[in-house]
Amino acid sequence: LISLVGCGLTERTTVEKSAVVQWPTSDDSLDFWDTLESQSVTTNDDALHGLLLLVQESPPPADWNQRLEAAQRRGWLKTDIKLQAEESARVGMIAVCICHILDVQGGLSMRLMGKIPRYSTRELVHMGLLPGITENEALTGSEFLALIAATEQQQWLDMALAARDQAAKRPS
């Protein structure tokens, strides 16, 4: 058995002063997005803040613990998950949250195993929302912004298709 502890393969990049630390409130959202765009990595705290802004969580969580609790309450994350606010967010964790936001059902593997990082990442790659990356990679701030924009666009498309279906069901 190979031990990865201490050799740097299990350690995550950390950011001391991430975008959400500088711009923590929903009133600061434009400054948050601008600052995040230039960050070399998206932290767990940045990711949850951005995702909760996307779904317009109300009232907006004021700190990391509240953001984590809101994500767990929404079913995005398990309650036993161990995340550090300043660590780089794994694509898989972000993908699970987005699959919940978009109500992605996925293929057979996701239907059997649930919305887990591996299959959620694969689904978002298949949908064209993510490039071909793995669940353990990190996103830069600009990559995370692109993913949020693609997710928002998918939400609008889903709403338009649902409205079209409703209109087709109405008697003429």
Side-chain angles (χ1 to χ4, degrees):
L1 192 64
I2 299 174
S3 174
L4 300 177
V5 177
C7 66
L9 293 177
T10 60
E11 296 174 18
R12 303 294 299 171
T13 302
T14 60
V15 175
E16 285 185 36
K17 197 167 181 182
S18 67
V20 72
V21 170
Q22 297 173 58
W23 309 103
T25 68
S26 58
D27 293 337
D28 298 327
S29 62
L30 291 177
D31 293 316
F32 165 75
W33 294 120
D34 283 343
T35 301
L36 182 60
E37 185 175 22
S38 64
Q39 272 185 199
S40 60
V41 70
T42 301
T43 66
N44 288 317
D45 203 7
D46 290 331
L48 289 185
H49 184 68
L51 291 164
L52 290 165
L53 285 173
L54 176 68
V55 298
Q56 300 174 356
E57 176 75 10
S58 184
D63 61 26
W64 164 247
N65 289 328
Q66 289 181 9
R67 283 186 273 281
L68 187 58
E69 288 172 12
Q72 291 169 338
R73 188 175 51 255
R74 287 178 167 270
W76 297 352
L77 302 173
K78 294 180 180 178
T79 55
D80 63 348
I81 194 165
K82 302 288 186 235
L83 295 174
Q84 299 298 316
E86 69 283 348
E87 285 183 338
S88 60
R90 294 176 193 269
V91 169
M93 184 272 294
I94 296 169
V96 167
C97 296
I98 291 174
C99 282
H100 281 284
I101 291 168
L102 296 176
D103 194 29
V104 174
Q105 299 304 308
L108 180 62
S109 296
M110 184 182 268
R111 290 173 190 261
L112 292 174
M113 302 297 291
K115 291 177 174 74
I116 61 174
R118 179 179 182 93
Y119 299 127
S120 295
T121 302
R122 286 182 175 186
E123 274 304 315
L124 296 187
V125 168
H126 176 74
M127 292 171 67
L129 299 178
L130 280 174
I133 57 179
T134 66
E135 68 272 11
N136 290 316
E137 293 183 53
L139 296 175
T140 66
S142 60
E143 290 169 336
F144 180 71
L145 284 175
L147 177 57
I148 291 294
T151 302
E152 190 171 36
Q153 185 177 23
Q154 185 66 48
Q155 285 178 309
W156 282 102
L157 180 60
D158 291 346
M159 286 190 295
L161 293 174
R164 180 185 224 180
D165 289 346
Q166 286 290 16
K169 290 178 184 177
R170 280 182 269 179
S172 299

